[in-house]
Amino acid sequence: MAPARATAPDPCVAAFFDLDNTVVRGASLFYFARGLHARGFFSSRELRGFARRAVHFALRGEVHGHLLEVRELALAFVAGHSTAEIRAIGEEVYEEHVEAKVRPGVRVLADRHLAQGAPVWLVTAAPVELADVVARRLGLTGALGTVAESVDGVYTGRLVGEPVHGAAKAAAVRALAERSGWDLARCAAYSDSANDLPLLSMVGRPVAVNPDRSLRRHAARHGWEVREFRGWHRAARWTVRAGTAGAAGAAALVLAGLVRRAA
């Protein structure tokens, strides 16, 4: 009787990657804000005011309030500008700030899925304009990101739906999987943050990448794969993890650093 052959692992049907601190070191919204500020979208005085409000929310532990502030501020910055202009800035911001922050180890993981014929999607709360650029430059299949409403090619200052964050990110991936006919039990997802537990928990292969403390504990309890690519680059100090009261404080420090550079 011939010995049984060892079978190769079943390749994932699709893979989903978080952006901030997973694919890219640091917060993509920070890099986008740097690009907008450099192009005169807002003043240092406006940014200082926002930083003060971020500190206020941090001290009160009102993380949700801070996230709403981030959303409203971003929408106010782009209102009245054309979608073509913002997308062009996204291309420039990628080259100026984001490209050098891509984690080589995570890119290898994404490329491995692509080589096996699996679609690879970037899924992030960052503006879809920036997410699209990152996905295309890395050769990924596509991107899901937060969408700002536009009419006749001009931003209105309102969102389409909710920010692609937490449960909303999981819902966006589920909808994409249903449209594409993918079995989520045969898909993979990669993230650094416990905020993405709704997404990680619904796929067959959840992977914690440079996980925060909460995600690391959860991964250990459930036997999830953990990948470490943490070369402590300067940008890593600007991490924004919006699951704890410290997140708003981190965001305030990010903004304060931007203000110093703008001064």
Side-chain angles (χ1 to χ4, degrees):
M1 183 176 178
R5 290 184 182 180
T7 58
D10 185 23
C12 292
V13 173
F16 310 100
F17 284 77
D18 171 53
L19 178 59
D20 292 350
N21 291 300
T22 302
V23 173
V24 171
R25 296 188 301 267
S28 58
L29 188 58
F30 167 64
Y31 303 132
F32 200 50
R34 287 183 68 180
L36 293 177
H37 180 272
R39 290 159 178 83
F41 275 65
F42 52 90
S43 67
S44 298
R45 179 179 179 181
E46 289 173 311
L47 198 60
R48 283 193 293 269
F50 177 64
R52 284 194 295 270
R53 294 196 299 275
V55 171
H56 169 77
F57 282 119
L59 293 176
R60 294 172 62 90
E62 297 175 2
V63 176
H64 180 66
H66 175 65
L67 292 177
L68 292 177
E69 282 276 307
V70 171
R71 184 187 74 178
E72 296 305 319
L73 188 70
L75 290 171
F77 286 160
V78 301
H81 290 270
S82 72
T83 56
E85 179 185 11
I86 300 302
R87 287 187 177 277
I89 291 173
E91 297 280 354
E92 295 168 359
V93 167
Y94 179 85
E95 294 178 353
E96 293 168 358
H97 304 296
V98 177
E99 187 173 24
K101 309 300 190 301
V102 173
R103 294 186 188 276
V106 178
R107 184 168 188 177
V108 168
L109 295 177
D111 287 344
R112 191 173 299 162
H113 285 291
L114 291 168
Q116 293 172 344
V120 176
W121 282 74
L122 198 63
V123 191
T124 174
V128 70
E129 291 82 1
L130 184 58
D132 281 342
V133 172
V134 176
R136 180 164 43 78
R137 294 294 188 98
L138 296 181
L140 307 185
T141 308
L144 298 174
T146 298
V147 178
E149 181 187 70
S150 63
V151 175
D152 296 328
V154 176
Y155 289 108
T156 65
R158 296 185 293 270
L159 279 186
V160 176
E162 292 296 317
V164 182
H165 172 80
K169 181 184 288 190
V173 168
R174 185 179 298 280
L176 175 62
E178 289 175 355
R179 291 195 302 271
S180 305
W182 299 331
D183 179 3
L184 285 171
R186 295 181 57 215
C187 292
Y190 298 78
S191 178
D192 72 298
S193 173
N195 292 316
D196 284 334
L197 282 174
L199 169 61
L200 294 168
S201 298
M202 73 182 191
V203 299
R205 185 184 168 193
V207 183
V209 177
N210 303 326
D212 61 25
R213 187 175 302 173
S214 296
L215 179 56
R216 186 180 297 279
R217 286 197 299 262
H218 190 94
R221 285 197 303 269
H222 294 271
W224 289 359
E225 183 179 352
V226 175
R227 294 278 189 149
E228 287 284 358
F229 303 102
R230 209 178 324 239
W232 283 109
H233 188 277
R234 182 181 177 188
R237 297 201 301 269
W238 297 331
T239 297
V240 178
R241 302 190 189 281
T244 65
L253 292 176
V254 165
L255 291 163
L258 181 53
V259 170
R260 286 197 296 272
R261 286 168 176 75

